[in-house]
Amino acid sequence: ELAKRVVIENQNDVSDLIALDRPAILDFGLEEIYINNKHNGTSEKIHPLLDNITKKTHFILLFQEQVMKASVVMANFTLPEADTLRKAFAKKNTKDIPILKVKFINGCIQNNIIEEDAKKVFELFEGALYLFNASHSCGYSIIACQTLFLKTYYTLEYFISCLNSELGDFKKLLM
């Protein structure tokens, strides 16, 4: 269903789709913003400083690396600090997140970013607990595109290979 609404045009769209189908994205309704921004040209943007970071993903934070870049650009985090932020969210480290939030908001204020805007962006970070790593999403999209090609143009050979790969396990063949 989501794939039909996204309208896949290239491998980047497949990669984005893989990342879009994650609990945090769906819980926040970010897939709707992604789809609207992609198809309608509307740009529900997070913050002007993040436009370059989010442009390729239709102005939403879709990957862990984008959260890291956002913390560097908006709050002057160092790259190790940005990685600490990523890890804190990925591992749901409730001890470090409040400390990093204060650091992020203070860094934003030093960069003349309104405190309310900084808090709003950090809320998006908190919703990004389950964001995907971009390289994983890209790798999976390559496999998905190759599989689709083989199923479409070499259907018989593809399915024979699938069956042969499970030849030793009769239960899997019945699935």
Side-chain angles (χ1 to χ4, degrees):
E1 177 63 29
L2 186 57
K4 289 178 186 175
R5 294 176 54 224
V6 167
V7 183
I8 296 171
E9 298 171 24
N10 55 47
Q11 185 185 334
N12 288 336
D13 288 347
V14 175
S15 181
D16 288 355
L17 177 65
I18 290 166
L20 278 169
D21 197 17
R22 306 284 293 169
I25 300 293
L26 299 173
D27 289 347
F28 270 76
L30 294 178
E31 80 282 4
E32 296 300 329
I33 296 170
Y34 177 94
I35 291 166
N36 287 334
N37 288 352
K38 180 178 184 206
H39 297 299
N40 302 329
T42 56
S43 295
E44 194 173 319
K45 298 179 181 182
I46 301 166
H47 190 278
L49 286 175
L50 301 182
D51 286 356
N52 285 337
I53 296 168
T54 59
K55 185 177 183 181
K56 288 183 180 178
T57 55
H58 303 286
F59 303 102
I60 68 166
L61 291 168
L62 195 53
F63 299 110
Q64 293 174 352
E65 293 83 353
Q66 290 175 304
V67 170
M68 293 173 64
K69 286 180 187 175
S71 67
V72 170
V73 168
M74 292 186 78
N76 298 325
F77 274 38
T78 64
L79 291 177
E81 289 170 331
D83 193 43
T84 300
L85 178 69
R86 178 195 62 79
K87 288 177 186 173
F89 286 126
K91 296 178 181 177
K92 301 178 199 125
N93 187 336
T94 55
K95 183 184 83 171
D96 289 344
I97 292 174
I99 297 164
L100 292 164
K101 181 176 185 175
V102 170
K103 181 172 177 45
F104 179 81
I105 292 170
N106 288 340
C108 287
I109 291 169
Q110 288 175 357
N111 283 338
N112 298 318
I113 296 170
I114 300 167
E115 184 176 348
E116 198 58 41
D117 288 347
K119 287 179 179 178
K120 178 182 154 193
V121 170
F122 201 85
E123 272 183 37
L124 287 174
F125 289 178
E126 290 176 313
L129 290 172
Y130 299 101
L131 287 186
F132 220 44
N133 179 298
S135 62
H136 290 161
S137 189
C138 184
Y140 292 144
S141 72
I142 291 169
I143 293 168
C145 289
Q146 290 172 339
T147 302
L148 179 62
F149 177 84
L150 292 172
K151 278 181 156 179
T152 303
Y153 296 104
Y154 298 93
T155 309
L156 181 62
E157 294 88 342
Y158 173 80
F159 284 108
I160 288 172
S161 293
C162 288
L163 290 171
N164 282 337
S165 72
E166 301 297 341
L167 208 49
D169 190 347
F170 188 70
K171 287 181 184 177
K172 282 189 178 179
L173 285 174
L174 294 176
M175 292 176 138

